Amino acid sequence: CACAGVFTQGLSVYGRGGRLVYTAFVEQDVVAAAFELQQQRGMAVVAFSGEEVLTMASHPLIDKLHEVYFEPKARVLTAEEAEEEFRFVQKVVIMSTAEEIRERIRPEMQAAFGDRARLVQAVPSMLEVLPVGASKGYGVQLLLEDLDVQRSQVMAVGDGENDMEMLQLAGVSVAMDNATPSIKAIADFVVSSNDADGVAEAITKYALVPISEHP
């Protein structure tokens, strides 16, 4: 597909004609450290690399990532394969209960990685480990520069921590009703939840009418 777009939390940006504009990878030792959780505690950990989802062991939550979120089915790596594959990981996702992520895993990972990685959450039960500086906002900024589009011409819609920079960048920012309080606080408008066609509402109200006619 020769389409322009921003994917994988801003880590794959394709510009005019489908040309790759930007990509970035998590430091290899950070990836390895995240997967130690899987080996030590039997947790669900996956790595995103290009079109693939990789893991070191099967887990019901990893199956859910495929069955519910329609991500590619995870490929289980051997230790030898992991040493090579972990060089090109764009993000790592650690899955558990929302409480364990909040109270235990995120503080541990923040302390362990420091400024070598960025931690964000799209949903409470998943912690994403990204390269330093990565965000949807940065990816969108690079895309706009490649397409010669002004920020004022862009509407962004979001509901989670990982949408923060993108919403701050856009000329018009819209939060879903199910968004976190911090996202609602920075949005220009709030619409229905994502389960109640909030995105369609945002497009109809704010993208298909001139800015001068916004309420």
Side-chain angles (χ1 to χ4, degrees):
C1 175
C3 301
V6 179
F7 308 93
T8 321
Q9 299 287 20
L11 291 164
S12 293
V13 181
Y14 294 88
R16 296 181 187 274
R19 176 178 59 87
L20 181 65
V21 173
Y22 170 78
T23 190
F25 304 107
V26 182
E27 291 183 18
Q28 192 170 357
D29 63 330
V30 170
V31 178
F35 272 95
E36 285 182 11
L37 283 176
Q38 191 173 50
Q39 298 171 339
Q40 296 172 359
R41 305 181 192 173
M43 297 185 64
V45 182
V46 297
F48 284 70
S49 179
E51 299 295 320
E52 283 197 292
V53 175
L54 309 171
T55 189
M56 295 288 290
S58 300
H59 191 286
L61 290 178
I62 296 177
D63 295 336
K64 182 179 178 181
L65 198 64
H66 170 65
E67 296 162 0
V68 177
Y69 294 97
F70 305 106
E71 298 290 359
K73 192 170 180 62
R75 176 162 66 93
V76 180
L77 303 176
T78 65
E80 292 75 18
E81 290 172 329
E83 187 173 351
E84 173 65 22
E85 297 283 2
F86 285 176
R87 295 169 53 203
F88 305 105
V89 168
Q90 292 173 297
K91 72 173 183 176
V92 175
V93 179
I94 302 168
M95 292 166 278
S96 186
T97 64
E99 182 180 6
E100 185 171 22
I101 292 287
R102 181 182 65 253
E103 301 295 335
R104 183 178 181 186
I105 297 173
R106 183 163 186 166
E108 285 183 7
M109 295 296 96
Q110 190 66 65
F113 300 149
D115 60 1
R116 295 183 298 142
R118 181 179 183 224
L119 305 181
V120 298
Q121 289 179 254
V123 295
S125 59
M126 296 184 191
L127 178 66
E128 303 193 26
V129 183
L130 310 179
V132 175
S135 73
K136 290 182 182 179
Y138 183 61
V140 171
Q141 177 183 329
L142 294 175
L143 177 62
L144 297 184
E145 291 172 359
D146 188 75
L147 299 178
D148 194 24
V149 173
Q150 300 301 310
R151 292 169 50 180
S152 59
Q153 298 174 279
V154 174
M155 181 186 80
V157 178
D159 63 358
E161 175 190 3
N162 60 321
D163 298 316
M164 178 78 71
E165 293 84 359
M166 177 179 67
L167 292 169
Q168 291 173 327
L169 175 80
V172 177
S173 57
V174 185
M176 301 290 97
D177 190 52
N178 59 284
T180 61
S182 61
I183 291 298
K184 288 183 177 179
I186 66 165
D188 297 317
F189 306 103
V190 177
V191 293
S192 302
S193 72
N194 52 11
D195 288 332
D197 300 324
V199 174
E201 180 184 343
I203 292 171
T204 301
K205 284 186 174 180
Y206 309 118
L208 299 182
V209 297
I211 292 177
S212 60
E213 296 180 16
H214 288 177

